[in-house]
Structure formats: structure tokens, C-alpha cells
Amino acid sequence: MDCSRSRPPILVLLLVFLLSVESSWSQQAMPPAALTPAPAPAPSPESLCNGIFLSYVLEQRERIHPFTSNPADQPYSFRATATVLNHGTADLVAWTLLVPFRHRELLVSVDGGVLANASSSVLPYNTTLDANVTAFSGYPNADLKTPIETANDLSQIQTKISFVGTLFGSPSPAVPLPEFLDIDDPSYICAQLPGFNDSGSVQRCCRPDPNYVPKPVNATGFLERQSGDLTITYDVLQSYGDSYLALVTIENHNPLGRLDNWELSWEWARDEFILSMKGAYPTVVDASGCIFGKQGQYYQNFDFTKVLSCKQKPTISDLSPWRYNDTDLGRIPHCCRNGTLLPPEMDPEQSVSAFQIQVQKMPPDVNRSVLFPPVNWNISGSGLNPNYQCGQPIRVSSAQFPDPSGIDSESLALASWQVVCNITRPKSASPKCCVSFSAFYNDSVVPCKTCACGCSASNRAQTCNVSAPGMLLPPESLLVPFDNRTEKALAWAQIKHYNVPSPLPCADNCGLSINWHVLTNFQKGWSARVTLFNWGEDQFADWFMAAKLDKAYPGYEQLYSFNGTKMDDDTIFIVGNPGLNYLNGETNGNSDSDPRVPGKQQSVISFTKKSTPGIEILAGDGYPSKVYFNGEECSMPDMFPTSWAFRSRRPGTFTALGFLLLVASLLFLLQ
């Protein structure tokens, strides 16, 4: 056998060798892939901002039940995160983030912050209740320091707020984001980041306004106290390792604001509970939450039988006056007034309420220098009181108190926070009182508006007309309940040949009504009669009302059964004189056939024309444009009682002489 045939030819082996050498040389000549320069990463949006960086990132959105055919009503669950990052050179103190939600978002949970402008902070929260934007404050990190003083420690210069909730509409590919972001601070101007655009998020950079004139800085380093319709101060007087003593002071600053039987609520955000109180008391005394909760696990040898409240959201009410001298519950200045807060112009002493509270803390706050106020404050009254919307507590300069020993010295609180509450009317809220107009020159009464104080579903079930104007009434009908006015209104319409709507208009549903009657009009002056009707069961002690008179205000002279005081904004503040400052509720008539009788107070008010030349009483200049009762703005009629005598003097209308001339001319033409 020839072995040379099984060996590869020499030329083939040589060719393979040369190819392998060339490949090795080519690999050595080319640079390694790892040494090829990679493109520089795009800068992060926060790195482009030398100020306050704001962002809102939608992290997840999922379609949920119920499934609907209308895309605008389809609910989606969502998760999002908002960031507030201080990249500036000044501390951001008591910051508030403004988020204008626009997809009917319902917030189910908020972590890293708290609602700042909500009328009710109970979750889930409907963001459509806010007039413009929804506001959030940081908690517990309410102040953000600068990266310079913290060496860029994110835990001190940044806060992230996580949202979980439900939104409606916005089908794919749309991304449901807020319209913009802003901070509620006039010293900053917020704008889009130049050259940066991300369709899945919203970013803003807020820089100091060079034209802003800063307010004087407090020497204590904390904010000055803010102004508002009502303020609540939370002053820590004594602090121990695991508890502290605080004084809560409520002050009414609005000249037309008032609260009766106030109830104050808040939320403990760090598992605190109430040991004891003086000057006020929880509406529910319950320690079960501590015994079966983490408080009982930590304080295993603690006597919880004397604990007043372990609720996360307790509600506090004022004590009655006879508890003031109680050594255990009273002896606190401005306490124990049945929860009544009057306007300062009416009674400065009665415009303040206060109480003390002993608070037990939980880890990790078991240190006398670690103090946090409760959040989500809310205050309300009973009966005819305005609605208050409260912000979150803001650290302010420590309160000063007279030295208890009587020495001419001041004692400072260890720490002070302030909550500012302002009067607001929710979008769906109806007035609680109404006004009717009448005059000596017209024998009909212009009644309160139909459904002035709201109409319920039961009204519609009775087939009454919720949009028809109220029927003109005879004056005596003001003394009978609305249910008994139908017969009188129909008879009056027949006599006066008025139109009768079908179905008839609904009732005004107001528990309190006020009649303003123009009583006289003469050369040098005029007068009006004011009558208050209480159709409810509530009785009003120390009531007050206010009437805004745009044209007649300068001519006000005197009230006779009431006491009137001129205020700013063309408003007269009216209270009852002693003996007439109590408005009873509705009572039954003298017999079964008599209608119910309202509580009533009445007075005449006189005006002079010397200070109001050109005033036209017959044209409606003698009627108020706004009326308030106990701080609540009342519903006003849409028209005034008319006078033919005044109308006949207007251009374009026939006078009696003109009518006679017209008749004479027609008779002449017919001859």
C-alpha cells in the first residue's frame, strides 16, 4: 500500500499555515472592542437644574373593573412618584408641591407627603374637590436643606411622594400626567427644563425670582406666623423621653366667621396616643387600639386604663362652662365654652379657645428632642357655620407666654407649629340660609330662590319644579311654612293674574330665612325692616348677621332693636341687643289648625340720603347685594320688587300724560 497518497500535499499545508498567520496578524492590528469609546450617557433631568427640581413619573397604569363602553368613564389603577429635590443654595422651608390632576384622579394612598389643601384628608381623596390644583406637603421631611451644607445627602435634600389611586379615561397611547408642576412659593419661578423632553413624565425646574423682595428673616430661623380666617397653634410646653405636653389654641380672625360646638380632628402619623387632656375631651374614649396594637407591644407594663384615646384620627370637642373650675379637666384659659367661637369684632375674648393635651410617643421618636405634630387637621361646627379648609402644620417661631410666677418675664414654648384654616365652600355645597325682598310700593314678596338651600331626590319625586322661579307671595305668607304657602300662592297668582308654572316650584329648603323690606322713602331719608325667621329646631344664641349695601352704606344711621356697626367693604355688622340676641327655633301653633310658628326677631334700620345723593330706592338701591348669617353667606333673590312710578320715569316708557296724548291722537284720526 502507498502511504504517500493518504498525506495532504505539501502545498496545501503551506497554504493553511500562511492563512492562519495572516489572521493572527489582522487580529493583533485591530484594537480590542473594549477599547472602542462608547457614546456619553444622556444627562439626567435633575442634573440640568440648579434650583428646585420637580418631577412626576407615571410608573404603572392598569385597566380595572368595571369595564365600560365609554372610554372617558373607564377606570384605571395607577402608580406614580413625585420628586422634590433641592439643588439650590437656600433651604426650601415648609414647601408645598402643587399638582394639577386632570383625569378625575382618586388618591387611595399617599406616602412621603400629606395633602395640604384638602377639605377632608380622609383617603380615598377625590382631587376634583380642589378648585385648581391639589397640594402636598412633605412629612416628616417638611424642609429640604441644600446639597452644599449636606454634602449632597439625598435623605436631607430630596423627598419622594408615592401615589396609588384610580383615574378615568385616557386610553392608550395617551399618558395621564398632570398639566404641570409648581411649588407654592412666590420667591421661585418654575419652568420646563430647556432641551429636555420626556413623554412619560413631567419635569420642572424652579429658580429664585430675581425681582422677589424677601420678607424679613426671623431671628429664630423659623417662619413667622401666617394669617388666615382661623388659626390653630400647637405649642409643646414640656418634653420628656417618651411623652410631651402641648397646648392647642384655636383663634378666629374672620370678622364674619363663627363656630358653634366646634369639633377638632387630626391624624397621628407616628403612632402617638393621648394620655390625658384638660380643657377639652375626645368624643370617644377608647384604649383598645393601643392594647391590641403596637403600642401595647412596646409598653407592656403600661396602664392603659387611664388612656383617653388610641385612635389614629381622634375627634376633640370643647367642654361646657361649668367644667372650667374642675381641677382635673378645666383650669385652662379660654377653655370650656361649649365650643363657641365668635368673631373678634363681636367679642374678642370669645374668639379664642384652648386646651392642653398629654401625648405619648412611640419608637423611633422616644427622645425628648424629637417632636412631630399631628397632620391632616380639620375643624367644623354645627348648624349654620361656614366650612373651613385647613392646611398642614408649619413650624413657626416659638410662642411666648407670661411667666406663671408673675415675674415680668416671658417663657418660650419648646416648639411651635401653626395650622391655617380658611373659609371655603365646596363645589357641591348649598347655602344654609336665604333672603326674600319686599317693599311698601309693591304688595308682592319676592321669595327665596327655588331650592336655595338644595333640593333632595325626595323633592324631585314629588314632581316639583327645581328650576322654576319661586312664585310671588302675599306678605302674610312669610309667617307660614312653605308647605302651607301653596294655597296662598295660587290664590295670589289668580288675583294678580300671574303665571303659574306646572309643576309648581320646589321649596327653598332653608332652615333660616331673612326678609329685607323697604319700609319708607322720603326726601331726606328712607328706612328698611329686617326680619329673621328660624324654621329649624336649632336655637341661635348670640346670633349675628351682616348686610353688604353697595349704594346705601354711607347713609346708614341707626338700628333700633338691633345693634349695627359699620365695617369695611360696605358691610353693616348686626347683632341683637340684650334680650333680643337669642333666636328661638320653630314651635307648634296654638291649635291643630294653626301652622307651625317660626322663631322671629325684627328691627327697623334707618338711612339718610345726605351721604348718598342720587340714590334710587324705588330702583332697588335699598337692597343688600350680600347677606350673611352666623358666617354663612345666604342665597339672594334674582330680582327686586318693582315700582310703576319709577319705571314711568325711565326713558323709553310711557308716562300717564303720554298715554292720554296717544289716545287723543287716535280719536282724532278716527274722526
Side-chain angles (χ1 to χ4, degrees):
M1 182 177 180
D2 190 358
C3 296
S4 61
R5 293 182 179 179
S6 62
R7 298 175 181 175
I10 298 298
L11 293 175
V12 174
L13 292 174
L14 181 61
L15 180 61
V16 171
F17 174 74
L18 292 174
L19 291 174
S20 64
V21 171
E22 183 180 1
S23 175
S24 176
W25 286 348
S26 64
Q27 290 180 4
Q28 293 178 6
M30 294 177 63
L35 299 178
T36 304
S44 60
E46 60 267 23
S47 65
L48 303 175
C49 179
N50 284 328
I52 309 301
F53 173 73
L54 309 176
S55 75
Y56 182 98
V57 180
L58 180 67
E59 300 171 344
Q60 180 183 354
R61 182 189 59 171
E62 181 181 1
R63 187 184 182 195
I64 60 176
H65 286 87
F67 298 145
T68 63
S69 58
N70 185 0
D73 293 331
Q74 176 60 48
Y76 293 81
S77 66
F78 77 95
R79 293 179 180 272
T81 300
T83 302
V84 182
L85 175 61
N86 187 2
H87 272 175
T89 58
D91 291 353
L92 185 62
V93 180
W95 58 268
T96 299
L97 175 66
L98 304 179
V99 183
F101 291 107
R102 50 179 175 173
H103 298 89
R104 293 181 288 162
E105 283 86 346
L106 299 174
L107 300 180
V108 177
S109 69
V110 179
D111 188 22
V114 289
L115 287 160
N117 65 342
S119 57
S120 175
S121 301
V122 178
L123 297 174
Y125 177 72
N126 188 349
T127 59
T128 60
L129 297 176
D130 299 319
N132 297 313
V133 298
T134 305
F136 300 91
S137 297
Y139 189 87
N141 199 7
D143 301 333
L144 297 179
K145 297 183 178 181
T146 67
I148 299 174
E149 61 182 321
T150 62
N152 208 47
D153 182 3
L154 289 179
S155 64
Q156 300 184 64
I157 69 173
Q158 176 182 262
T159 293
K160 288 184 176 291
I161 305 176
S162 300
F163 306 107
V164 177
T166 302
L167 57 87
F168 294 88
S170 186
S172 297
V175 180
L177 294 171
E179 185 176 358
F180 60 86
L181 297 174
D182 206 344
I183 53 174
D184 190 13
D185 191 329
S187 64
Y188 286 92
I189 299 176
C190 299
Q192 285 289 111
L193 286 168
F196 186 86
N197 184 21
D198 185 356
S199 60
S201 62
V202 177
Q203 297 89 19
R204 302 267 283 190
C205 184
C206 305
R207 296 181 175 89
D209 183 358
N211 299 321
Y212 177 75
V213 179
K215 297 179 180 179
V217 179
N218 194 310
T220 63
F222 299 109
L223 295 175
E224 292 288 348
R225 279 167 165 72
Q226 308 297 310
S227 59
D229 294 327
L230 184 142
T231 59
I232 305 171
T233 308
Y234 194 81
D235 298 311
V236 176
L237 306 180
Q238 301 172 5
S239 180
Y240 309 97
D242 56 1
S243 66
Y244 64 85
L245 177 68
L247 175 68
V248 181
T249 306
I250 309 169
E251 298 180 76
N252 180 21
H253 303 286
N254 189 291
L256 299 179
R258 178 191 178 116
L259 280 173
D260 295 291
N261 302 311
W262 60 255
E263 287 192 346
L264 180 66
S265 63
W266 61 69
E267 182 177 356
W268 296 115
R270 307 185 71 84
D271 301 319
E272 302 97 325
F273 56 96
I274 301 175
L275 284 177
S276 61
M277 296 183 69
K278 297 185 71 174
Y281 215 68
T283 56
V284 177
V285 176
D286 183 14
S288 60
C290 291
I291 296 174
F292 299 105
K294 60 179 68 176
Q295 295 88 348
Q297 296 177 3
Y298 180 76
Y299 294 106
Q300 294 189 5
N301 297 323
F302 196 87
D303 183 10
F304 286 98
T305 59
K306 297 181 180 180
V307 171
L308 285 185
S309 177
C310 289
K311 289 183 174 293
Q312 184 183 8
K313 301 175 183 178
T315 300
I316 310 302
S317 62
D318 198 9
L319 295 176
S320 57
W322 54 81
R323 290 287 187 180
Y324 181 81
N325 291 321
D326 191 313
T327 55
D328 295 326
L329 298 176
R331 299 295 181 90
I332 301 296
H334 306 295
C335 85
C336 314
R337 292 171 175 170
N338 270 340
T340 298
L341 280 172
L342 297 178
E345 283 77 4
M346 188 173 178
D347 188 345
E349 180 68 16
Q350 197 79 1
S351 66
V352 182
S353 190
F355 61 90
Q356 283 186 0
I357 178 172
Q358 188 79 29
V359 181
Q360 192 75 18
K361 299 187 294 184
M362 285 284 291
D365 302 335
V366 186
N367 187 309
R368 68 181 62 193
S369 62
V370 179
L371 300 168
F372 292 99
V375 297
N376 298 338
W377 292 69
N378 186 42
I379 190 167
S380 61
S382 65
L384 262 159
N385 289 155
N387 296 299
Y388 289 87
Q389 179 176 290
C390 300
Q392 295 294 344
I394 298 174
R395 184 74 182 268
V396 294
S397 55
S398 296
Q400 298 181 359
F401 302 96
D403 193 284
S405 64
I407 299 176
D408 187 13
S409 178
E410 299 286 340
S411 299
L412 290 178
L414 298 178
S416 296
W417 287 267
Q418 185 191 43
V419 177
V420 178
C421 305
N422 289 309
I423 295 175
T424 182
R425 174 175 288 180
K427 294 180 180 179
S428 59
S430 299
K432 302 173 185 176
C433 55
C434 67
V435 177
S436 62
F437 288 155
S438 58
F440 72 91
Y441 52 78
N442 193 311
D443 49 6
S444 293
V445 175
V446 178
C448 292
K449 286 184 181 180
T450 303
C451 298
C453 298
C455 273
S456 61
S458 60
N459 293 124
R460 297 180 177 88
Q462 296 170 2
T463 65
C464 61
N465 195 329
V466 298
S467 59
M471 296 177 60
L472 297 178
L473 303 172
E476 67 272 11
S477 63
L478 292 177
L479 296 173
V480 299
F482 190 92
D483 297 339
N484 301 81
R485 294 180 188 174
T486 303
E487 184 177 347
K488 291 181 177 293
L490 292 175
W492 191 250
Q494 184 177 5
I495 294 172
K496 296 294 183 178
H497 305 289
Y498 296 149
N499 291 328
V500 178
S502 180
L504 295 176
C506 295
D508 55 59
N509 295 311
C510 295
L512 187 131
S513 61
I514 300 171
N515 175 250
W516 186 280
H517 177 80
V518 175
L519 188 61
T520 61
N521 182 33
F522 46 95
Q523 184 177 0
K524 295 184 178 180
W526 62 282
S527 65
R529 184 178 63 227
V530 183
T531 309
L532 282 63
F533 298 99
N534 183 6
W535 299 100
E537 297 180 356
D538 294 332
Q539 300 175 344
F540 299 103
D542 296 319
W543 60 266
F544 71 87
M545 66 169 288
K548 179 177 170 57
L549 295 160
D550 298 326
K551 299 181 179 180
Y553 173 80
Y556 164 70
E557 282 187 324
Q558 186 180 359
L559 271 156
Y560 295 91
S561 299
F562 302 155
N563 183 30
T565 304
K566 278 189 171 182
M567 303 175 63
D568 296 333
D569 194 27
D570 298 336
T571 301
I572 300 175
F573 187 81
I574 302 171
V575 298
N577 286 330
L580 298 174
N581 59 345
Y582 197 90
L583 183 59
N584 288 316
E586 188 182 51
T587 58
N588 291 328
N590 296 326
S591 64
D592 295 338
S593 60
D594 291 339
R596 299 186 305 276
V597 179
K600 188 180 69 168
Q601 292 286 3
Q602 187 179 85
S603 179
V604 172
I605 178 172
S606 61
F607 296 84
T608 178
K609 293 182 178 179
K610 182 179 180 180
S611 304
T612 55
I615 190 170
E616 294 286 359
I617 300 303
L618 301 182
D621 293 349
Y623 293 100
S625 59
K626 289 185 179 181
V627 172
Y628 299 83
F629 182 83
N630 277 6
E632 176 71 17
E633 185 175 349
C634 302
S635 172
M636 303 294 292
D638 292 326
M639 63 179 183
F640 306 121
T642 57
S643 170
W644 175 260
F646 179 78
R647 288 181 301 174
S648 65
R649 292 198 300 270
R650 291 185 178 178
T653 60
F654 288 113
T655 63
L657 179 60
F659 180 75
L660 293 176
L661 291 175
L662 177 61
V663 172
S665 300
L666 291 174
L667 293 175
F668 177 78
L669 293 174
L670 292 175
Q671 289 180 355

